Amino acid sequence: MPGHASEAAVRRLPLYYRQLEELERRGTVRVSSGELAAQMGSTASQIRQDINFFGAFGQQGYGYNVSELKAHLAKILGLDASYTLVVAGVGNIGHAIVNYRGFADRGFRLTALFDSSAALIGSSINGVPVLDAAAMPAYLAENPTDIAVICTPAHAAQATADTLAAGGVRAIWNFAPVTLRVPRGVAVNNVHLTDSLLVLSYKLSHGEA
Amino acid sequence: MPGHASEAAVRRLPLYYRQLEELERRGTVRVSSGELAAQMGSTASQIRQDINFFGAFGQQGYGYNVSELKAHLAKILGLDASYTLVVAGVGNIGHAIVNYRGFADRGFRLTALFDSSAALIGSSINGVPVLDAAAMPAYLAENPTDIAVICTPAHAAQATADTLAAGGVRAIWNFAPVTLRVPRGVAVNNVHLTDSLLVLSYKLSHGEA
DNA sequence: TAGATTGTTAATCGATTAACAATC
DNA sequence: TAGATTGTTAATCGATTAACAATC
C-alpha cells in the first residue's frame, strides 16, 4: 500500500468489518460492492476505493467472498496482533470499559487499571488489579503497554497522557473531555461523549433532525 | 445562516465551546482566532470560517470576547433549550450514561430508563425509574421525548430505534454496534466504541502511531 | 460467450487553506 | 494614526463520485 489511507477511510474499515461479520453470521457467501453499499447506506464506488487501497480482494463479475474479505480486513485492522491495554481512571466510564466483554476476542489484553482513590487501589475488577496511579511509570517500565484508555477527570488527563507517553505507550483512547497534546509517534483517538451529545442538540435545534 | 453548516464544522463547535469554557475559567477576556488555533491544534482560517458561518461575532483588530463568543456558541448548539432524554438498555454503558453528571447542567432532562430485564424493571437509578421496554410506545405517547440513547444489545437496537422513531423521538444517540436505519427527520449520532478502538489498532499496526 | 462486477482512472464536488481588503 | 485581526473571497487540496476498460 503506497501513501497513506485517509483518516475518513480508516474510520470506515471497522464498519465494513462489522457488516461482513453480520453477513457471515447469516451464511452469505458472496457480496458485491453495490449490495454492501445498499446495506450500509454508502456507495459502491466508495467501498471499492476504500478496499482497493489495500489490495484487489474481489473478483470481476463475482464480487467479494465474504469470509475472505473479512479475513483481509481483520489483518488490515491489526486484529491478528495482540495488544496490551491499561485503563487510567476507574470512575464512571472507566468501569464500563473494564466490564466490556470483547477485548479478549479481538486480541486486546487488559492488564492493569490505575486510579488514585485509596478505596479502589488494591482491589480488582474482573480479575484485573487496580494499581496506584502514582505507580504507573514503574508499571510501564516493567510491562510494555501498547494502548492506554484515559478515563480520568478532565484536570488529570493531560498529566496522565504525559506519563503514558513517557512510559512508551503508543496509542491513547481518550474519554476525558480534553484536547490532549502528545508527542509525535503517539496516536490518539478521542471519544468525547458530551461533544457527541451536543451535536445532536445542535441538529435538534436547527431542524436537521 | 444560509445553506447548511458542514457535518465536519458542526462536530468542531463543541470543541470550540469547551476551549472557551476553559479560557473563561482561567479568566481570559479576549482571544484571537490564531491563539485559539494554537491552543487547539487547528488553523486560524478554519476557526474563522466555522464561526463566521453563524455570524460576525468578532471585532477587527481585537479578536473575540471569550464570554460573548461562548454565549453565542451555547445558543448555536441549542444549550439554551431544554431537551428530554430517555435511555433504552440499562446494561454496561447504559449505566455509565445514567450516572453521567452534567446532563442537567446542559439542559438535558433524563426522564426514564427502559430495559427488558425483570430484575431491573421497577427499580430506579439516580431517581430515574426503569420501565419495561415493552411499555415504551405508551410512555412516549404520554411523554414527548426529544432524544433517546440506545444502549441495548446489537440484536435489539434496530427494533428499539423503530419504536422510538414511531413514538416521535427526533434524535438517537446510538451506542449499539449497528448501522441503524431511521426515517428521514430523525437524527442519529453513533458512538461505536469497538470501531473506535479498532482505528487505534489499525494505526498501531501500520506504524501511524 | 454474454453478463456482471471489479479495479482504476478521470471528473466533480466540497472542505480547507491562503490571501487580503475592511475596519476596529 | 498605525497595528492588528476579523470577515470574506479566491485558490488549493483532498475526498467522493462517476465512468469505463479489464476480466472473471
Side-chain angles (χ1 to χ4, degrees):
Chain A
M1 22 199 149
H4 60 100
S6 78
E7 177 77 11
V10 170
R11 287 184 179 279
R12 284 190 294 265
L13 297 180
L15 272 75
Y16 299 150
Y17 186 72
R18 215 159 11 86
Q19 186 64 25
L20 289 164
E21 277 184 320
E22 174 63 15
L23 288 171
E24 196 178 52
R25 208 184 53 74
R26 285 193 222 153
T28 309
V29 174
R30 69 161 280 280
V31 72
S32 71
S33 56
E35 287 164 348
L36 268 178
Q39 289 158 18
M40 304 181 58
S42 172
T43 69
S45 234
Q46 182 170 74
I47 291 174
R48 291 207 301 280
Q49 286 277 26
D50 286 350
I51 291 173
N52 251 81
F53 177 82
F54 297 99
F57 304 135
Q59 191 170 94
Q60 282 97 332
Y62 174 83
Y64 301 90
N65 176 289
V66 170
S67 303
E68 218 174 83
L69 181 55
K70 174 170 161 269
H72 280 299
L73 282 174
K75 195 161 188 190
I76 290 163
L77 286 167
L79 290 174
D80 54 344
S82 174
Y83 293 117
T84 54
L85 194 89
V86 300
V87 171
V90 189
N92 199 17
I93 343 152
H95 250 98
I97 298 290
V98 173
N99 286 318
Y100 169 66
R101 310 284 159 172
F103 283 135
D105 309 352
R106 295 181 174 79
F108 299 100
R109 272 183 29 242
L110 182 56
T111 55
L113 317 176
F114 293 93
D115 205 289
S116 48
S117 139
L120 287 169
I121 296 166
S123 72
S124 79
I125 304 176
N126 280 342
V128 185
V130 182
L131 309 179
D132 188 339
M136 206 157 68
Y139 177 90
L140 296 173
E142 286 295 308
N143 306 274
T145 300
D146 299 302
I147 304 175
V149 191
I150 297 187
C151 300
T152 66
H155 64 83
Q158 182 61 59
T160 304
D162 294 343
T163 305
L164 290 163
V169 165
R170 293 180 297 143
I172 293 177
W173 199 18
N174 177 44
F175 287 76
V178 167
T179 304
L180 294 178
R181 301 216 152 265
V182 295
R184 264 173 46 77
V186 177
V188 175
N189 205 349
N190 293 299
V191 180
H192 289 325
L193 293 179
T194 300
D195 291 12
S196 160
L197 180 58
L198 292 194
V199 171
L200 276 183
S201 171
Y202 171 91
K203 287 181 180 174
L204 277 175
S205 59
H206 288 254
E208 282 189 28
Chain B
M1 29 214 133
H4 59 100
S6 76
E7 177 77 13
V10 169
R11 286 183 180 280
R12 284 190 293 264
L13 297 180
L15 273 74
Y16 299 149
Y17 186 72
R18 216 160 8 86
Q19 186 64 26
L20 289 164
E21 278 184 320
E22 173 65 14
L23 288 172
E24 196 178 54
R25 208 184 53 73
R26 286 192 220 154
T28 307
V29 173
R30 68 161 281 281
V31 71
S32 70
S33 57
E35 286 164 347
L36 269 178
Q39 288 159 19
M40 304 180 58
S42 174
T43 69
S45 232
Q46 182 170 74
I47 290 174
R48 291 206 301 280
Q49 286 276 26
D50 286 350
I51 291 173
N52 252 82
F53 177 82
F54 298 98
F57 304 135
Q59 191 170 93
Q60 282 97 332
Y62 174 84
Y64 301 89
N65 176 288
V66 170
S67 303
E68 217 174 85
L69 182 55
K70 173 170 162 267
H72 280 299
L73 283 174
K75 195 161 187 192
I76 290 163
L77 286 167
L79 290 174
D80 54 344
S82 175
Y83 293 118
T84 53
L85 195 89
V86 300
V87 172
V90 190
N92 198 17
I93 344 153
H95 249 99
I97 298 290
V98 173
N99 286 317
Y100 168 66
R101 310 283 158 174
F103 282 135
D105 310 351
R106 295 180 176 78
F108 298 100
R109 273 183 27 243
L110 183 55
T111 56
L113 317 175
F114 293 92
D115 206 287
S116 47
S117 140
L120 286 169
I121 297 166
S123 71
S124 79
I125 304 176
N126 280 341
V128 186
V130 182
L131 309 179
D132 188 338
M136 205 155 69
Y139 177 89
L140 295 174
E142 285 295 309
N143 306 276
T145 300
D146 300 302
I147 306 174
V149 192
I150 297 187
C151 301
T152 66
H155 65 82
Q158 182 60 59
T160 303
D162 295 343
T163 305
L164 290 163
V169 165
R170 293 180 297 142
I172 292 178
W173 200 19
N174 177 43
F175 286 77
V178 167
T179 303
L180 294 177
R181 300 215 153 265
V182 296
R184 265 174 46 76
V186 177
V188 176
N189 205 349
N190 294 298
V191 180
H192 289 325
L193 292 177
T194 301
D195 291 10
S196 161
L197 181 57
L198 293 193
V199 171
L200 276 183
S201 171
Y202 171 91
K203 288 181 180 174
L204 277 174
S205 59
H206 289 252
E208 282 188 29

